């Protein structure tokens, strides 16, 4: 069965410093992986997705993630945090096969301090 | 990008009543819609998957008679919480997809916060 583990429930950074949100996955096949962001009172927004193409995936708002099969990781990074990045971030894996199902991690709340 | 709306955004109801939540894809045809439940400070849990014109597929542990899902058209799915109880209070989120492959993006609605008194 597919699953994702987000290693940190909370991450706090200062504005202008790098962001690292960690995610490890478990999958019996080559997975599709996603990062979604959830701002308060707004729908989840797709930041980026990995679907077996380039291992370094660039997303919106300066975020990127690297798929590392040897480490079963898909960490999300951003070189310089902005106040508007404060939100809940979810690492997500597809259930696989013909299914569209997504399996969500437990989320990481990012706080950005001025 | 594709837009998915939900109505209402918030609803408060008395225990024992039924509540209907609508999920609409505004600018694309959604062959598949998903319903999730999110408890405070927790992740999203998939409740059911619905394909237009067919019965919904419920995840293990989700009562299909309590959470009625209808996907009557390619732009509308509804979730009805029947005989709601306080433990049904939660944040309900829908998403919509236009295809049948695992890498197709799901577009999420803003969610509906249900409070059962």
């Amino acid at each position: 069965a597919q699953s994702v583990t987000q290693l940190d429930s909370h991450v706090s950074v200062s504005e202008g410093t790098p962001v690292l949100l960690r995610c490890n996955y478990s999958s019996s096949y080559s997975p599709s992986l996603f990062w979604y962001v959830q701002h308060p009172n707004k729908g989840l927004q797709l930041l980026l997705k990995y679907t077996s193409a380039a291992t370094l995936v660039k997303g919106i708002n300066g975020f990127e993630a690297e798929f590392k099969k040897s480490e079963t990781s898909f960490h999300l990074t951003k070189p310089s945090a902005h106040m508007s990045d404060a939100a809940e971030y979810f690492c997500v894996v597809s259930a696989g096969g013909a299914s569209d199902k997504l399996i969500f991690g437990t989320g990481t709340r990012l706080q950005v301090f001025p | 990008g594709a837009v998915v709306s939900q109505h209402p955004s918030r609803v408060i109801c008395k225990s024992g009543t039924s509540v209907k939540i609508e999920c609409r894809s505004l600018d694309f045809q959604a062959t598949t819609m998903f319903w999730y439940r999110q408890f405070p400070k927790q992740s999203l849990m998939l409740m059911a998957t619905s394909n237009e014109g067919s019965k919904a597929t419920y995840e293990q542990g989700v009562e299909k008679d309590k959470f009625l899902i209808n996907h009557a058209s390619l732009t509308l799915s509804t979730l009805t919480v029947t005989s709601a109880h306080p433990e049904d209070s939660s944040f309900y989120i829908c998403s919509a997809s236009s295809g049948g492959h695992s890498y197709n993006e799901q577009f999420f609605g803003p969610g509906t916060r249900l409070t059962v008194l």
Side-chain angles (χ1 to χ4, degrees), chain B residues 6 9-10 24 27 31-32 34 39 41 51 61 67 75 83 92 94 100 105 114 117:
Chain B
Q6 280 185 244
S9 57
R10 295 175 183 270
R24 293 182 185 272
D27 51 5
T31 53
T32 307
F34 304 84
F39 290 101
K41 300 184 180 180
N51 291 294
F67 299 99
T75 59
S83 187
Y92 293 88
C94 75
E105 182 175 351
L114 170 63
L117 303 177

Side-chain angles (χ1 to χ4, degrees), chain B residues 6-112:
Chain B
Q6 280 185 244
H7 178 79
S9 57
R10 295 175 183 270
V11 57
I12 300 173
C13 69
K14 292 183 179 180
S15 185
T17 61
S18 295
V19 174
K20 180 183 285 188
I21 302 170
E22 290 186 349
C23 176
R24 293 182 185 272
S25 57
L26 299 184
D27 51 5
F28 70 103
Q29 293 186 325
T31 53
T32 307
M33 286 186 168
F34 304 84
W35 287 95
Y36 296 84
R37 186 172 179 177
Q38 185 180 28
F39 290 101
K41 300 184 180 180
Q42 294 188 30
S43 188
L44 279 74
M45 299 298 295
L46 180 64
M47 299 174 65
T49 303
S50 73
N51 291 294
E52 185 265 337
S54 60
K55 290 184 178 181
T57 302
Y58 290 81
E59 295 299 301
Q60 192 172 9
V62 178
E63 299 175 61
K64 62 180 181 180
D65 294 330
K66 180 167 188 62
F67 299 99
L68 301 178
I69 292 172
N70 183 278
H71 191 166
S73 77
L74 286 171
T75 59
L76 174 65
S77 177
T78 60
L79 168 68
T80 301
V81 182
T82 63
S83 187
H85 291 282
E87 57 266 29
D88 299 323
S89 298
S90 190
F91 196 52
Y92 293 88
I93 302 173
C94 75
S95 71
S97 169
S98 60
H101 299 287
S102 60
Y103 52 82
N104 270 4
E105 182 175 351
Q106 289 185 26
F107 299 95
F108 287 81
T112 297

Side-chain angles (χ1 to χ4, degrees), chain A residues 71-88:
Chain A
E71 299 176 10
T72 62
S73 69
F74 190 59
H75 302 334
L76 182 70
T77 61
K78 182 173 180 177
S80 176
H82 192 273
M83 294 296 291
S84 61
D85 294 328
E88 188 84 19

